[in-house]
Amino acid sequence: MLELKDVHVGYGRSDVIHGATITVASEGVSAVLGHNGAGKTTLLRAAVGLLRPRSGSIVFDGEDVTSLRPSARVARGLAYVPQGQQSFGQLSTMENLQVIADGYGARKERIAEALDRFPALTEVLDRQAGLLSGGQRQQLAIARALITRPRMLILDEPTEGIQPSVVAEIERNILGLIGEGGLGVLLVEQHIGFAMESAGVYYIIESGRVTASGAGGKDSVAEVRERMTI
C-alpha cells in the first residue's frame, strides 16, 4: 500500500500541493484526476521521491519513505512512468529494455515478459526509440518499468497523445496486471473514461487540493465529469 498523508510539496517557496491525502491499495488502481495545472504530476514526483515534501509523509508498505531517494524506492518496488513517453531516443527498442534489465538477474526472462505484454514492440526491436510512434514509445516506457517487476506502478498520463487502439491496449495490460494480483497502480489521467474503467478508487485534485473522492467504475463516469465541470 502507498499512502500520501497530508502532503505539502512544491517548487522554491511556493506550494503546489496543499495537504493532499491519497491511498493506493496493494492491488488495484487508484486514479488521480484533474485539469492541467492542478498539481497531479507534482504529487507523483513527491510519491516517487523526485520532490521532497515540506510536510506530511509518504508511506510504502508500512515504511516511511519520505526521506528516501528515488533509487531506494525503486528497490522497494516502486516504478514510475513519467509523462511524455520517455526513453533513450538514440538507443534501439531492445537496447532500451536491456539498459533496465542489466540491473536485474534473468535479463532475457524479464525482457521476454515485457514483450509478451506489448507484442507490437517485437516488430521494432532494432528501431531507434526516437523514431517510434507516440504509442510505441509509451508502450516501451511501460515495458521498461515492468522489467523491474514492481509492486506499485505509478503512471502519469499514459494515454496522452495516443491513438484509441493503443489506449485500449494499454488499458487491457493494466487490467491484466491487476487481475494477476500483487500490483497496485497510481494513475494520473485526464481521459476520464479510461481512468474510471480501470480505477477502483478516484481522487479529484483542484488547485493542489483533493476536493472529491469515491469509487471508480463505469457507473461513476458521469458523476466525475460533473464534478470536474463545477
Side-chain angles (χ1 to χ4, degrees), residues 37-219:
K40 304 183 302 296
T41 293
T42 299
L43 187 70
L44 294 196
R45 288 172 63 84
V48 77
L50 296 173
L51 289 173
R52 179 76 178 269
R54 304 181 198 282
S55 61
S57 62
I58 299 169
V59 178
F60 182 45
D61 282 353
E63 177 187 5
D64 190 326
V65 298
T66 310
S67 62
L68 293 185
R69 294 182 178 183
S71 58
R73 301 187 197 197
V74 170
R76 283 162 173 76
L78 282 177
Y80 177 44
V81 181
Q83 190 176 13
Q85 305 140 20
Q86 295 187 17
S87 59
F88 297 112
Q90 298 303 311
L91 299 182
S92 70
T93 299
M94 176 58 83
E95 288 168 338
N96 266 273
L97 298 173
Q98 289 173 336
V99 164
I100 304 302
D102 281 344
Y104 300 90
R107 182 178 76 167
K108 291 182 178 180
E109 179 183 338
R110 288 178 181 243
I111 292 175
E113 289 174 357
L115 292 174
D116 282 343
R117 295 288 179 191
F118 296 103
L121 294 178
T122 61
E123 301 175 6
V124 292
L125 290 177
D126 295 328
R127 188 177 302 172
Q128 283 187 345
L131 301 179
L132 300 178
S133 69
Q136 289 168 334
R137 288 197 303 272
Q138 188 62 282
Q139 291 179 77
L140 175 57
I142 298 174
R144 281 159 42 98
L146 293 178
I147 284 175
T148 70
R149 294 179 181 169
R151 291 182 291 113
M152 182 66 61
L153 180 61
I154 300 176
L155 300 171
D156 192 357
E157 302 279 10
T159 70
E160 182 183 36
I162 294 177
Q163 61 186 12
S165 62
V166 180
V167 171
E169 178 68 18
I170 290 172
E171 181 179 0
R172 282 194 296 271
N173 271 283
I174 292 173
L175 294 176
L177 287 163
I178 295 302
E180 293 171 12
L183 180 68
V185 177
L186 173 54
L187 171 68
V188 157
E189 185 56 70
Q190 289 198 58
H191 189 311
I192 295 174
F194 169 79
M196 300 310 292
E197 283 276 345
S198 306
V201 177
Y202 73 86
Y203 298 87
I204 296 175
I205 290 185
E206 299 178 88
S207 300
R209 293 178 170 84
V210 176
T211 58
S213 62
K218 293 181 182 179
D219 294 340

